[in-house]
Amino acid sequence: MQKTLIWADDCLRLLDQTKLPDQTEYITCTEYRRVAEAIRRLEVRGAPAIGAAAAFGLVLGAREAAAEAGEFWNMLWAMAAELRGTRPTAVNLFWAIDRMLAVASRYKDPLDKIAMLSALETEAVAISREDAEVNQRISINGTALFTDKLSILTHCNAGALATVALGTALGVIRQAWSEGKISRVFADETRPLLQGARLTAWELLQEGIPTTLITDNMAGWVMKKRMVDAVIVGADRITLNGDVANKIGTYSVAVLAKEHNIPFYVAAPVSTFDFSLRSGDDIIIEERSSREVTSFAGINTAPRGVEVFNPAFDVTPNSLVTAIITEYGVIKPSYIEAINKLKELKGGE
Ligand code: MRU
């Protein structure tokens, strides 16, 4: 399993996911701006991985600010704002930055830069270590749902590449495979940026898991042909009522699963829950460049000037979600009650 991010020798190395599956190259970030750019360009992507990368971005930023003559705290705040501005939908980004700023503020009055820098590094390392542990727990909790050997469909990439290790949806698949509970995985290619084809299929093949790549518009047909027993996807943000934002196309898969009476599972850490939002209607959906839709590998596939709508995510309503697999256990409807309990649990920690 290739590491998505490595913190060593005072720099952050990120596996450049735009180059996969053909090249495994790491980008070396020594400045927070390079981390912000990597998030924006999807060189690092996937909700938990974005959060961990931003945390290390702030470690780099705090070091840069400490070396400058300007007002340290204002500079740090501006850097955090820049990192926050990279992508709007995955809440893990904001969760990680808030966590880092809460640590930094402990050393603000009186200002102790040396202690703050060290504490920020410790916190970023903790965020990434915890993510690896959380994935392990999600994998075990999710696998317990399966009694038979199943054929699973997944959308986008919620694997090791989208997290610090193992993955959420792919973590469950990895664990279930190791327990002999998986017969095959169908990976949706995931237009327009092909995270399913380039990343998920790549990860699964490395594990030796039988994988079939399909284009997004084939999902309904494989369900109709009874080739799929369950769907598992990750999430970028889950609201208090259990609505789930995830990669564009997830909603269509959930509708299809409902029509074919196939369970639709979401695997996500508690850091992906946004306890401040009541429903998916409140989630900001990122819209990306029209070029992602009008071209393929640099070649035009649509007439110049055509209007394009390119939302990177959609929201699946809670009514289509069979269960949400978290590190604390599996949540089933009614979600409002269960998610409020999760909120209380986190608040009490
Ligand atoms: O645009 P991306 O590639 O960052 O979108 C990623 C997804 O939608 C994932 O499914 C989600 O972040 C969950 S990752 C564990």
Side-chain angles (χ1 to χ4, degrees), residues 42 44-48 50 87 90 155-159 162-163 167-169 193 195 199 233-236 245-248 250 267 269 286 288 312-313:
L42 271 59
V44 60
R45 35 67 51 201
I50 293 172
R87 297 194 74 189
H155 189 75
C156 193
N157 173 269
T163 60
T168 54
L193 295 181
Q195 287 92 331
L199 311 177
V233 296
D236 286 84
N246 192 49
K247 176 56 53 195
I248 189 74
T250 304
E286 175 182 10
R288 296 188 61 86
F313 301 95

Side-chain angles (χ1 to χ4, degrees), residues 13 20 40 62 67 70 87 99 122 173 215 247 261:
R13 294 178 64 226
L20 290 171
R40 221 176 277 116
R87 297 194 74 189
R99 220 174 120 163
T122 306
I173 288 171
T215 61
K247 176 56 53 195
N261 217 7

Side-chain angles (χ1 to χ4, degrees), residues 253-321:
V253 173
V255 171
L256 289 167
K258 181 95 170 176
E259 168 69 17
H260 295 93
N261 217 7
I262 292 169
F264 179 90
Y265 299 114
V266 174
V270 172
S271 54
T272 299
F273 286 74
D274 186 339
F275 299 120
S276 73
L277 297 187
R278 271 210 253 212
S279 88
D281 295 340
D282 304 325
I283 299 176
I284 297 173
I285 300 292
E286 175 182 10
E287 285 191 36
R288 296 188 61 86
S289 160
S290 59
R291 282 300 289 162
E292 292 179 354
V293 177
T294 58
S295 66
F296 192 86
I299 296 165
N300 283 342
T301 54
R304 279 185 198 286
V306 68
E307 276 183 37
V308 168
F309 178 47
N310 184 20
F313 301 95
D314 57 30
V315 176
T316 299
N318 57 22
S319 57
L320 299 178
V321 179

Side-chain angles (χ1 to χ4, degrees), residues 28-297:
T28 301
C29 307
T30 52
E31 294 172 357
Y32 86 96
R33 279 229 155 97
R34 184 65 189 90
V35 179
E37 191 180 37
I39 297 173
R40 221 176 277 116
R41 288 185 187 166
L42 271 59
E43 289 163 333
V44 60
R45 35 67 51 201
I50 293 172
F56 285 113
L58 262 191
V59 175
L60 294 171
R63 290 178 182 182
E64 289 170 68
E68 300 255 338
E71 224 281 89
F72 175 80
W73 188 256
N74 289 344
M75 284 170 75
L76 187 68
W77 203 257
M79 288 164 174
E82 202 173 319
L83 283 162
R84 277 184 209 278
T86 50
R87 297 194 74 189
T89 306
V91 77
N92 305 61
L93 173 69
F94 309 98
W95 168 85
I97 292 172
D98 286 347
R99 220 174 120 163
M100 295 294 284
L101 289 179
V103 166
S105 62
R106 284 190 219 138
Y107 304 90
K108 189 183 170 219
D109 287 319
L111 184 61
D112 183 345
K113 288 191 209 171
I114 308 266
M116 189 192 292
L117 294 185
S118 153
L120 283 174
E121 182 179 12
T122 306
E123 190 67 4
V125 170
I127 287 173
S128 62
R129 278 218 187 105
E130 283 166 26
D131 187 55
E133 285 161 22
V134 155
N135 289 339
Q136 182 82 47
R137 284 160 58 191
I138 289 174
S139 308
I140 291 166
N141 292 341
T143 303
L145 286 169
F146 308 148
T147 42
D148 301 322
K149 202 166 185 167
L150 300 181
S151 172
I152 305 272
L153 182 138
T154 190
H155 189 75
C156 193
N157 173 269
L161 291 166
T163 60
V164 176
L166 280 182
T168 54
L170 289 200
V172 176
I173 288 171
R174 279 190 163 90
Q175 180 66 29
W177 168 250
S178 75
E179 295 182 23
K181 291 177 170 177
I182 296 279
S183 57
R184 175 157 299 276
V185 177
F186 283 88
D188 281 352
E189 71 171 349
T190 316
R191 277 280 289 153
L193 295 181
L194 308 183
Q195 287 92 331
R198 294 186 304 103
L199 311 177
T200 296
W202 183 75
E203 275 195 46
L204 293 172
L205 287 193
Q206 282 183 344
E207 301 283 327
I209 300 175
T211 301
T212 302
L213 176 65
I214 55 171
T215 61
D216 300 337
N217 50 359
M218 295 171 189
W221 189 242
V222 295
M223 289 183 191
K224 169 95 172 113
K225 302 285 280 178
R226 304 313 304 174
M227 292 160 88
V228 171
D229 303 307
V231 175
I232 309 183
V233 296
D236 286 84
R237 197 184 288 236
I238 301 172
T239 53
L240 273 176
N241 66 344
D243 289 350
V244 175
N246 192 49
K247 176 56 53 195
I248 189 74
T250 304
Y251 169 62
S252 316
V253 173
V255 171
L256 289 167
K258 181 95 170 176
E259 168 69 17
H260 295 93
N261 217 7
I262 292 169
F264 179 90
Y265 299 114
V266 174
V270 172
S271 54
T272 299
F273 286 74
D274 186 339
F275 299 120
S276 73
L277 297 187
R278 271 210 253 212
S279 88
D281 295 340
D282 304 325
I283 299 176
I284 297 173
I285 300 292
E286 175 182 10
E287 285 191 36
R288 296 188 61 86
S289 160
S290 59
R291 282 300 289 162
E292 292 179 354
V293 177
T294 58
S295 66
F296 192 86

